[in-house]
Amino acid sequence: MDIKELQKLVFDAGIVGAGGAGFPTHQKFSGGIKQIVVNAAECEPLMMVDHHILATHFKSSVATLRDLIAIIGADEAIIGIKGKNMHLLDAQIVAELEGSNIKIKEIPDVYPAGDEVVLVYETTGKIIPEGSIPVMVGVMVINTETLYNIHQAMHEKTPVVEKYVTIGGDVERDVTVKVPVGMKISELFAELGYTDLDGKAVINGGPMMGKLVDLEQDVVTKTTKGLLVFPETHSIIQRRRAPMSMTLKRASAACCNCTMCTDVCPRHLLGYSIEPHKILYTAAHSKVLDTESFLQSSLCCGCGVCTVIGCQQMLDPQAIAMETKRLLAKNGYKRTNNKAPERPLAERTNRLIPSEMLIDRLGIRKYVKPKVKRDYIKFTPQYVYIPLSQHVGKPAAPVVAVGDAVKIGDAIARTEAGALGTTMHASIDGVVQAVDSRQITIRRA
């Protein structure tokens, strides 16, 4: 198999980044990659999918890395994992990797260790230039579940029709389950017995970067990694429900320009030209002539350290920076004076945020369970709703019509050739019930 064949295989299997934005994985493969970095950081608190995959599928993951190294022509692969999680890896396999081109790199138990800019630095010592992607320094970053999905496509001929999801937070038991893509989250919770949700809200993702869930409408997608339940009164929920107009008003009234949000910004500490205190001040006071302070928001990864750790006034520089970034992208504004940092700031080592500190600052210590069970439940939803956009780029276009019979794994939508996108598949056997610009509905046969 060559790179083009690998790209087609991964595109046809509908593989995207299994957490975060969902970048189409086939677009990451190129001949310029010298190092493959596996993100096994399990970055945000309460998220446990990577734990299960590392403990259960480590052997196949290593085998797939060997395949990718050979096909891409990379020099090595590096699995970045926190030292506290090394016990998840099969000790015999780890020993066999000694001296090979697949390395295990212990990274510090800090947040956000899973941000690709931070991860690439911690595993390779390289700093990705501002506004660039890892391939610019000869690196490709993939998530542990993405690697698992590549293995399934290569060796089992299975596309992405299911998703590992951890459910935790303010629930009696935390579980990791495998769920059909397109299953309604409300139905998933009902089948697992999580029915007492009065006065509670759900986050899709981690407590730092996750988004509020509409329980009646939202479904499990290829990027759903965690569904976390919190009381509606919890600051995690209240912060997300605050209107941007109120967030800006509070910032204009209370920000003292102390720079503490900038002092702990992970990308600023790696030498990036991002200063959250300037973004917040400029946006809150409509300093429209200070274009650089607006444009530097494009360097923000949205990790939230500035808000949860940095700001002592309980303001939300994270939300302001990400909204500014969204509006700039929507209107076609780009930062042109990007640089390539040569080294981190000298103070970086002393400003890293330990995960335990983050847990306490978030106020979620009581939700951290000693163990998360992997429940092997076979879910059989009567309907699935397959979104046409579960990834970065252009939505997939339907290739089925109402009334068509489909089997699990059948392609039902594809992004056109040459566009950034991927393929969608039926996650149950059934009949296409509806097709619109947003999703394809399938009824179980």
Side-chain angles (χ1 to χ4, degrees):
M1 181 181 293
D2 60 23
I3 289 180
K4 287 188 176 181
E5 292 171 322
L6 175 63
Q7 288 175 326
K8 184 178 186 306
L9 176 77
V10 171
F11 172 81
D12 287 344
I15 299 173
V16 301
F23 192 88
T25 303
H26 70 281
Q27 295 277 6
K28 292 188 175 185
F29 300 123
S30 76
I33 295 168
K34 298 303 178 185
Q35 294 168 300
I36 301 170
V37 173
V38 180
N39 183 354
E42 199 75 272
C43 188
E44 291 213 42
L46 306 180
M47 307 292 275
M48 300 295 285
V49 164
D50 289 353
H51 281 64
H52 168 73
I53 293 175
L54 291 169
T56 310
H57 301 292
F58 185 49
K59 183 177 181 180
S60 62
S61 296
V62 168
T64 304
L65 281 176
R66 290 197 178 101
D67 292 337
L68 294 180
I69 289 172
I71 295 168
I72 296 171
D75 296 332
E76 62 179 357
I78 305 169
I79 300 173
I81 181 172
K82 294 178 180 179
K84 69 176 184 180
N85 293 329
M86 281 294 293
H87 68 281
L88 298 168
L89 307 182
D90 186 300
Q92 182 177 341
I93 297 175
V94 171
E96 291 171 354
L97 292 177
E98 285 290 333
S100 75
N101 58 358
I102 299 178
K103 298 176 172 57
I104 311 294
K105 173 69 174 180
E106 292 189 31
I107 58 178
D109 184 17
V110 298
Y111 178 82
D115 170 43
E116 69 177 11
V117 174
V118 175
L119 182 68
V120 166
Y121 176 73
E122 293 292 351
T123 53
T124 71
K126 299 175 180 177
I127 301 178
I128 301 169
E130 295 175 354
S132 298
I133 56 178
V135 72
M136 297 300 293
V137 291
V139 177
M140 180 180 78
V141 179
I142 53 175
N143 176 272
T144 53
E145 189 173 1
T146 304
L147 182 62
Y148 166 81
N149 288 335
I150 294 172
H151 174 269
Q152 292 298 98
M154 293 181 73
H155 299 282
E156 305 296 333
K157 311 304 179 186
T158 304
V160 180
V161 295
E162 294 181 299
K163 183 70 180 70
Y164 281 111
V165 181
T166 294
I167 300 172
D170 190 14
V171 293
E172 288 188 6
R173 63 189 182 97
D174 290 13
V175 296
T176 295
V177 290
K178 206 171 187 183
V179 186
V181 170
M183 184 176 183
K184 278 200 171 183
I185 292 173
S186 59
E187 293 180 21
L188 171 61
F189 273 52
E191 287 208 33
L192 289 171
Y194 300 128
T195 55
D196 184 19
L197 294 178
D198 288 346
K200 298 178 182 179
V202 181
I203 294 290
N204 183 345
M208 292 292 281
M209 299 178 70
K211 304 291 190 296
L212 281 171
V213 166
D214 180 336
L215 272 176
E216 294 308 312
Q217 298 298 322
D218 289 354
V219 302
V220 171
T221 71
K222 296 179 183 183
T223 62
T224 304
K225 193 171 184 181
L227 295 168
L228 304 181
V229 181
F230 298 106
E232 290 186 334
T233 55
H234 199 286
S235 61
I236 289 173
I237 304 301
Q238 292 297 305
R239 188 164 61 246
R240 285 164 173 79
R241 287 184 171 169
M244 180 52 61
S245 59
M246 180 65 70
T247 300
L248 288 167
K249 285 180 181 178
R250 292 187 65 245
S252 66
C255 177
C256 61
N257 221 22
C258 69
T259 78
M260 289 186 69
C261 53
T262 296
D263 292 342
V264 294
C265 172
R267 291 195 171 184
H268 174 78
L269 291 171
L270 278 173
Y272 272 44
S273 307
I274 178 170
E275 298 172 286
H277 74 281
K278 289 187 177 180
I279 300 172
L280 183 147
Y281 184 84
T282 304
H285 293 276
S286 300
K287 301 286 186 180
V288 294
L289 296 181
D290 187 2
T291 56
E292 171 56 24
S293 292
F294 280 109
L295 290 170
Q296 65 177 239
S297 66
S298 65
L299 304 176
C300 178
C301 69
C303 71
V305 168
C306 54
T307 294
V308 176
I309 303 294
C311 187
Q312 305 305 298
Q313 301 281 27
M314 300 182 69
L315 305 178
D316 199 348
Q318 173 197 27
I320 292 173
M322 291 303 288
E323 177 66 3
T324 303
K325 180 178 180 177
R326 184 188 71 82
L327 291 173
L328 288 173
K330 178 182 177 181
N331 290 284
Y333 292 102
K334 294 184 178 180
R335 190 169 183 269
T336 58
N337 57 334
N338 291 316
K339 68 176 186 179
E342 295 182 1
R343 63 185 66 84
L345 302 188
E347 57 267 31
R348 178 178 185 266
T349 302
N350 295 321
R351 291 184 183 172
L352 297 176
I353 309 302
S355 295
E356 293 299 307
M357 175 193 290
L358 183 68
I359 287 170
D360 288 331
R361 187 64 67 89
L362 282 168
I364 59 173
R365 173 67 61 185
K366 63 182 177 181
Y367 303 129
V368 179
K369 312 293 196 305
K371 187 176 182 180
V372 175
K373 181 182 179 183
R374 165 73 168 100
D375 270 1
Y376 291 85
I377 299 173
K378 181 67 175 178
F379 296 102
T380 56
Q382 291 304 301
Y383 291 87
V384 291
Y385 308 85
I386 311 296
L388 298 176
S389 182
Q390 304 179 48
H391 54 275
V392 168
K394 189 173 183 179
V399 295
V400 293
V402 173
D404 287 352
V406 293
K407 296 287 187 182
I408 293 176
D410 285 352
I412 60 174
R414 285 192 180 90
T415 305
E416 64 192 45
L420 182 63
T422 189
T423 308
M424 304 300 171
H425 302 83
S427 58
I428 61 173
D429 295 339
V431 177
V432 176
Q433 189 80 6
V435 178
D436 59 37
S437 61
R438 190 173 62 89
Q439 65 185 17
I440 297 173
T441 303
I442 302 173
R443 173 176 50 83
R444 184 176 293 278

